[in-house]
Amino acid sequence: MIFESIEEFAASLPPMTALAGLDLGTKTIGVAVSDSFRQVATPLETIKRKKFTLDAEHLLEIAKDRQLGGLVLGLPRNMDGSEGPRCQSTRAFARNLEKLTDLPIGFWDERLSTVAAERALLEADTSRKRRAEVIDHVAAGYILQGVLDRLRHLG
C-alpha cells in the first residue's frame, strides 16, 4: 500500500524491520537501508536504471535479502512545495511498484537531500569522479535518515 502521510506509513510497518530509502533519478536509483531498530540509514548502492521491471526486480531482491519492512521514496517537490513532473514520475513508480509487493510504500520530501549529500561529500574531500558514483545512494541515505528521525518522534 502507498501512504501519503508518514504517520500512516509508520502505523503500517511490521516491528523490528529495516527500511529502504530510494532516491529516484532518471538514470539511477540511489538505495539506502536502515538497521532493524530504525536508528541509522546506511547508503547501500546506486542502481543504473534500465526498464521498470528490471529496476523493480532488483529493488525487491534487496528488500527480500534484507527482510525489509517498508520502502520510502524521496518526493522531489519544488522549492515552493508544489509538485512537478519529477514528483509525478516518482508517484507513478510507486503505483507500479505497489502492484508487485505488499511492502508499505511511503514518501518523504527530499528537497535539498542531494544538496546536503553533495556538501557532505565535498567536506569529506571526495573526488569529483567518486562523488558522481556515490551521490545518489548518499542522497538516499539523507532521505531515509530524515524518515528515521521523524519516526523516532512519533513513538
Side-chain angles (χ1 to χ4, degrees), residues 2-13 104-106 151 154:
I2 296 174
F3 297 93
E4 282 300 320
S5 86
I6 209 68
E7 292 79 10
E8 291 171 324
F9 174 72
S12 74
L13 295 171
I105 298 171
L151 293 179
L154 290 177

Side-chain angles (χ1 to χ4, degrees), residues 38-82:
R38 300 185 192 141
Q39 299 292 306
V40 179
T42 305
L44 182 67
E45 67 177 282
T46 297
I47 299 169
K48 294 260 185 273
R49 292 190 76 169
K50 296 178 178 96
K51 287 194 319 215
F52 172 79
T53 45
L54 295 172
D55 299 343
E57 223 170 75
H58 191 134
L59 288 170
L60 295 176
E61 200 172 291
I62 291 169
K64 188 172 147 233
D65 291 348
R66 294 182 171 264
Q67 300 172 321
L68 299 178
L71 303 170
V72 179
L73 279 65
L75 200 58
R77 293 181 189 274
N78 296 322
M79 289 313 284
D80 66 1
S82 64

Side-chain angles (χ1 to χ4, degrees), residues 68-144:
L68 299 178
L71 303 170
V72 179
L73 279 65
L75 200 58
R77 293 181 189 274
N78 296 322
M79 289 313 284
D80 66 1
S82 64
E83 295 192 9
R86 289 190 54 226
C87 275
Q88 292 167 348
S89 87
T90 297
R91 289 184 182 283
F93 186 93
R95 285 191 301 273
N96 290 330
L97 196 58
E98 180 185 34
K99 295 171 187 158
L100 304 176
T101 182
D102 291 332
L103 288 174
I105 298 171
F107 297 110
W108 186 252
D109 184 342
E110 69 154 69
R111 280 180 282 189
L112 301 179
S113 64
T114 303
V115 173
E118 180 87 21
R119 187 171 299 133
L121 291 168
L122 283 168
E123 285 171 9
D125 206 21
T126 313
S127 72
R128 183 184 303 250
K129 180 180 186 297
R130 183 73 183 131
R131 280 199 310 270
E133 291 167 1
V134 302
I135 189 73
D136 297 312
H137 57 273
V138 171
Y142 270 88
I143 291 165
L144 184 55

